[in-house]
């Protein structure tokens, strides 16, 4: 597959799709590289496609939210200073969004910025987060509060890496893929629908195609609005509720699945406002959204209260109503900033019923 070149005001970069076994060899030949690898990915692939890296000193990190904090990045800084000379230092990282955020942040600040090569290992990182140049750290109890805009010099996508993901994280990535297609419009979702069964069976060829299509869609948004001032915000479809669900469940619901629940909730807000019919919402939920939800995507009554609480805190920070991307009857999206907590609360109450009626359509 041809590489994609992402145009960025911070420096263009290529996304290479590499099915072959040689891509890791090339990375080993880099002079003065500091390697950071998700420790689980190393355990699963250290004797497989990542074997060439065994010849280099590796910094292994757990993919926990603590890794992407100032303390976590401090440890990486210390490791890098001890290992790599300042001149022409390059960071090579392999992992999902956690490793991406920590190493992207590190690359952007150490020595006022060094080159960075990123190999995404989760479906979410391959299909979504690896482009767009955002790096984020958690600060105290605030998720993703600190951050920089800093693109890698190169992204290498090796599709077979995702074969070892557990279902919860695989379907989380699939959730973001579905979101990306909905954001792109009805033609994209029509093409996706017949492929959902193969994707859910985790067929490699379908996954590779869906990853590339998702990146092509995201590319259009970020190249037009790199700094999130307008159209790029539509990529946040499902994320207002999604982020609140993640924090209310202490991240038990993986990101992409929280986003999918967030899409259903934004749909329910639209239904209540008369912008979307329930039949249309149920149809899309049944065909595209429900298949991406595993048992990890459950929010009980207690957590539903905590979601409203989390949104309330968010609202206190912005000082206005809740900003939610909402769909209309053709799944056209618009960002509104006047959603009330009462509307959010009502949508949360209606969520179990909405999922149930979509489920009965597929039965
Ligand atoms: N910078 C951005 O643009 C951006 C966008 C979306 C999300 N994020 C951040 O990314 C994080 C979530 O990232 P994620 O969902 O990619 O996952 P992750 O990095 O949290 O990893 C999820 C789990 O999958 C494991 N894993 C990773 N690769 C694997 C593989 N190939 N096989 C088996 N297991 C593997 C990890 O060890 C971990 O247990 C969050 O912190 C979120 O805030 C950042
Ligand atoms: Zn997301």
């Amino acid at each position: 597959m041809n590489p994609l070149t992402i145009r960025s005001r911070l420096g263009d970069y290529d996304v290479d799709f590499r099915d072959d076994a040689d891509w890791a060899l090339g990375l080993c030949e880099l002079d003065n590289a500091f390697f950071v690898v998700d420790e689980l990915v190393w355990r699963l692939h250290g004797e497989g496609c990542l074997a060439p890296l065994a010849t280099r000193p590796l910094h292994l990190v757990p993919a926990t939210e603590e890794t992407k904090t100032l303390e976590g990045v401090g440890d990486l800084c210390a490791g890098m200073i001890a290992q790599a000379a300042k001149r022409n230092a390059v960071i090579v990282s392999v992992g999902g969004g956690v490793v991406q955020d920590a190493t992207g942040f590190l690359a952007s600040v150490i020595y006022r910025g060094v080159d960075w090569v990123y190999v995404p290992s989760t479906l979410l990182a391959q299909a979504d987060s690896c482009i767009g140049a955002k790096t984020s750290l958690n600060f105290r109890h605030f998720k993703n509060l600190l951050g920089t805009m800093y693109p890698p010099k190169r992204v290498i996508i090796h599709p077979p890496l995702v074969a070892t993901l557990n279902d919860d994280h695989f379907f989380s990535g699939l959730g973001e893929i579905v979101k990306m297609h909905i954001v792109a419009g009805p033609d994209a979702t029509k093409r996706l629908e017949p492929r959902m069964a193969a994707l859910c069976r985790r067929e490699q060829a379908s996954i590779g195609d869906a990853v590339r299509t998702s990146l092509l869609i995201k590319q259009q948004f970020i190249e037009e609005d790199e700094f999130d001032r307008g159209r790029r915000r539509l990529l946040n479809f499902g994320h207002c509720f999604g982020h609140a669900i993640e924090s209310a469940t202490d991240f038990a619901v993986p990101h992409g699945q929280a986003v999918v629940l967030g899409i259903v909730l934004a749909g329910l807000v639209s239904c209540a406002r008369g912008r979307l019919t329930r039949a249309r919402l149920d149809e899309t939920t049944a065909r595209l959204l429900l298949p991406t939800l595993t048992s990890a995507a459950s929010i009980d009554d207690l957590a539903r209260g905590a979601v409203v609480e989390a949104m309330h805190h968010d609202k206190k920070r912005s000082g206005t109503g809740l900003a939610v991307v909402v769909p209309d009857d053709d799944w056209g999206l618009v960002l509104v900033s006047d959603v009330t907590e009462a509307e959010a609360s009502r949508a949360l109450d209606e969520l179990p019923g909405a999922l149930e009626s979509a489920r009965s359509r597929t039965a």
Side-chain angles (χ1 to χ4, degrees):
M1 269 197 242
N2 294 334
L4 294 180
T5 300
I6 311 295
R7 311 258 167 239
S8 162
R9 274 187 269 166
L10 305 163
D12 295 354
Y13 53 104
D14 276 353
V15 181
D16 282 338
F17 295 83
R18 298 286 297 265
D19 277 322
D20 59 275
D22 295 340
W23 60 273
L25 275 174
L27 293 177
C28 290
E29 282 155 15
L30 286 171
D31 278 338
N32 207 20
F34 179 65
F35 291 86
V36 182
V37 183
D38 175 328
E39 62 185 17
L40 177 60
V41 176
W42 181 248
R43 238 182 294 146
L44 293 166
H45 298 277
E47 290 178 359
C49 64
L50 298 180
L53 300 189
T55 58
R56 302 291 301 261
L58 302 178
H59 203 101
L60 300 182
V61 293
T64 59
E65 291 292 322
E66 286 76 49
T67 293
K68 41 176 277 191
T69 59
L70 288 172
E71 293 73 27
V73 170
D75 291 345
L76 292 176
C77 263
M80 185 160 170
I81 292 164
Q83 221 178 78
K86 180 173 173 182
R87 245 177 96 85
N88 304 325
V90 45
I91 295 171
V92 176
S93 57
V94 185
V98 164
V99 168
Q100 175 188 342
D101 274 344
T103 53
F105 189 91
L106 173 69
S108 69
V109 294
I110 195 161
Y111 307 135
R112 295 195 186 81
V114 299
D115 286 357
W116 167 42
V117 178
Y118 176 50
V119 182
S121 69
T122 59
L123 185 58
L124 182 128
Q126 290 191 351
D128 176 8
S129 64
C130 70
I131 64 170
K134 287 185 182 172
T135 86
S136 311
L137 297 188
N138 305 323
F139 180 70
R140 308 247 159 104
H141 57 281
F142 296 109
K143 166 101 175 139
N144 292 343
L145 186 92
L146 306 177
T148 55
M149 293 292 287
Y150 197 76
K153 274 280 171 288
R154 198 174 148 213
V155 176
I156 300 173
I157 294 189
H158 183 58
L161 272 175
V162 303
T164 50
L165 280 179
N166 69 23
D167 272 351
D168 290 340
H169 288 110
F170 175 81
F171 284 94
S172 171
L174 190 55
E176 284 280 13
I177 287 174
V178 168
K179 177 218 72 181
M180 208 73 88
H181 283 73
I182 295 177
V183 170
D187 290 347
T189 40
K190 264 192 212 99
R191 280 194 299 272
L192 182 66
E193 262 183 42
R195 297 178 180 173
M196 283 304 284
L199 286 167
C200 291
R201 286 194 302 272
R202 302 179 65 155
E203 287 177 15
Q204 191 63 63
S206 308
I207 297 168
D209 285 348
V211 164
R212 194 180 169 90
T213 307
S214 291
L215 291 177
L216 283 165
I217 295 166
K218 182 165 178 180
Q219 180 182 21
Q220 290 173 0
F221 281 83
I222 60 179
E223 286 187 345
E224 191 185 306
D225 176 26
E226 187 164 22
F227 297 101
D228 243 346
R229 301 214 169 89
R231 235 180 124 224
R232 184 171 178 175
R233 293 188 195 165
L234 297 183
L235 293 177
N236 277 338
F237 188 33
H239 282 64
C240 176
F241 281 103
H243 286 146
I245 290 169
E246 282 181 284
S247 81
T249 60
D250 207 12
F251 300 96
V253 182
H255 179 75
Q257 299 199 40
V259 167
V260 165
L261 293 175
I263 291 174
V264 181
L265 288 160
L268 288 166
V269 168
S270 266
C271 290
R273 290 185 170 200
R275 292 172 50 88
L276 170 68
T277 58
R278 247 320 268 281
R280 284 285 279 163
L281 176 61
D282 285 358
E283 185 189 353
T284 303
T285 306
R287 288 188 186 159
L288 292 169
L289 302 173
L290 213 46
T292 72
L293 297 176
T294 64
S295 57
S298 67
I299 39 175
D300 55 20
D301 290 350
L302 194 73
R304 281 207 291 279
V307 173
V308 180
E309 184 66 14
M311 293 176 98
H312 175 73
H313 281 299
D314 230 35
K315 190 180 121 181
K316 267 207 313 208
R317 275 204 283 155
S318 67
T320 55
L322 301 169
V324 183
V325 177
V326 289
D328 64 21
D329 221 39
D330 298 315
W331 288 88
L333 303 177
V334 54
L335 176 68
V336 298
S337 52
D338 61 348
V339 174
T340 63
E341 280 172 42
E343 283 180 286
S345 199
R346 184 172 151 190
L348 278 153
D349 288 341
E350 289 173 355
L351 180 66
L355 294 177
E356 205 36 60
S357 67
R359 229 169 252 127
S360 62
R361 275 178 172 253
T362 56

